[in-house]
Amino acid sequence: MSDNIHKYEEVRAVARELGFDVQLMPGLKLEVQSDSIEEVSRKSAILAYLLVGRPLLVEDAGLYIQALRGFPGPYSSFVYRTIGIQGVLKLLEGTSDRRACFKSVTTVIYEPFIIVERGEVCGFITDSPRGSRGFGFDPIFTPEGSEKTFGEMSLEEKNRYSHRAKSVYSALSKLKKMMEQSGWGPGNVLKLG
């Protein structure tokens, strides 16, 4: 469901930590539109599972900017494609409130389990882009506790703060615990949607 190699690399690093192998599912993109990233993640995962019939993981995220009343939120991908980083910075011109949070929801379907977990990191929007790593709004977001933007961080650095790493880690940790309680072990392949 995702062709985003950057997202895949972030998720794969977390999954490996927990003993899971995650593979990319290029070409299959089912994204539900909603004002809720939880609904987008959960419904997209269920639809994808009905199509592929295999264990899978779907993660959806959004950038919520305080001065813009949470915009772009669940529409972050669309906003990035249409007005981009410069458009968002233009919307923030004249405001001193640069607070923002990245929020993520990960849904894992591994029958009979359906797990939905959240992750969040707050920080602020910079005045100009910094760094060329990551993707999307990473070059203008600095998490609390860091002076670097996500765009300036290595994958390992970003995953120490990342909303995505938090939601994926939480979902896969819960899955691992449930599997162990059921007498299963990880090592099976999850598809990334």
Side-chain angles (χ1 to χ4, degrees):
M1 278 188 43
S2 177
D3 291 325
N4 188 328
I5 194 70
H6 300 290
K7 180 189 283 193
Y8 169 67
E9 292 297 332
E10 291 176 22
V11 170
R12 184 173 70 167
V14 174
R16 280 186 175 163
E17 220 180 288
L18 294 166
F20 289 97
D21 179 23
V22 179
Q23 295 178 353
L24 195 59
M25 287 177 54
L28 179 62
K29 182 133 174 97
L30 302 168
E31 189 164 314
V32 175
Q33 295 302 309
S34 172
D35 290 338
S36 161
I37 60 171
E38 182 173 306
E39 185 175 358
V40 171
S41 176
R42 188 174 39 80
K43 286 187 175 178
S44 295
I46 290 168
L47 288 171
Y49 184 77
L50 291 173
L51 285 173
V52 300
R54 291 192 239 160
L56 56 82
L57 179 152
V58 171
E59 185 275 342
D60 195 62
L63 176 63
Y64 294 75
I65 301 172
Q66 181 76 26
L68 302 179
R69 295 189 202 136
F71 182 80
Y75 307 104
S76 295
S77 209
F78 175 75
V79 169
Y80 180 76
R81 286 191 315 269
T82 55
I83 66 171
I85 287 173
Q86 292 304 325
V88 167
L89 292 176
K90 187 151 187 67
L91 290 173
L92 289 172
E93 282 179 3
T95 181
S96 59
D97 185 359
R98 310 294 279 197
R99 293 174 295 157
C101 295
F102 264 122
K103 298 179 183 183
S104 166
V105 176
T106 295
T107 301
V108 173
I109 299 181
Y110 198 114
E111 225 174 313
F113 310 119
I114 297 178
I115 299 164
V116 180
E117 291 293 315
R118 290 155 207 76
E120 180 175 323
V121 61
C122 294
F124 65 92
I125 303 297
T126 58
D127 292 326
S128 60
R130 297 193 328 248
S132 58
R133 294 178 173 168
F135 65 100
F137 295 112
D138 286 357
I140 60 169
F141 181 79
T142 301
E144 289 173 1
S146 177
E147 303 219 353
K148 292 182 177 180
T149 66
F150 276 168
E152 295 173 298
M153 294 181 182
S154 68
L155 175 66
E156 295 76 23
E157 286 177 294
K158 182 180 177 186
N159 274 354
R160 284 198 293 268
Y161 295 96
S162 169
H163 53 297
R164 180 171 298 107
K166 289 175 184 177
S167 71
V168 169
Y169 187 87
S170 182
L172 292 180
S173 293
K174 189 175 275 189
L175 175 62
K176 185 175 182 175
K177 184 176 180 180
M178 295 167 96
M179 292 172 80
E180 288 167 353
Q181 290 172 345
S182 301
W184 304 353
N188 290 316
V189 174
L190 288 174
K191 302 291 183 179
L192 173 62

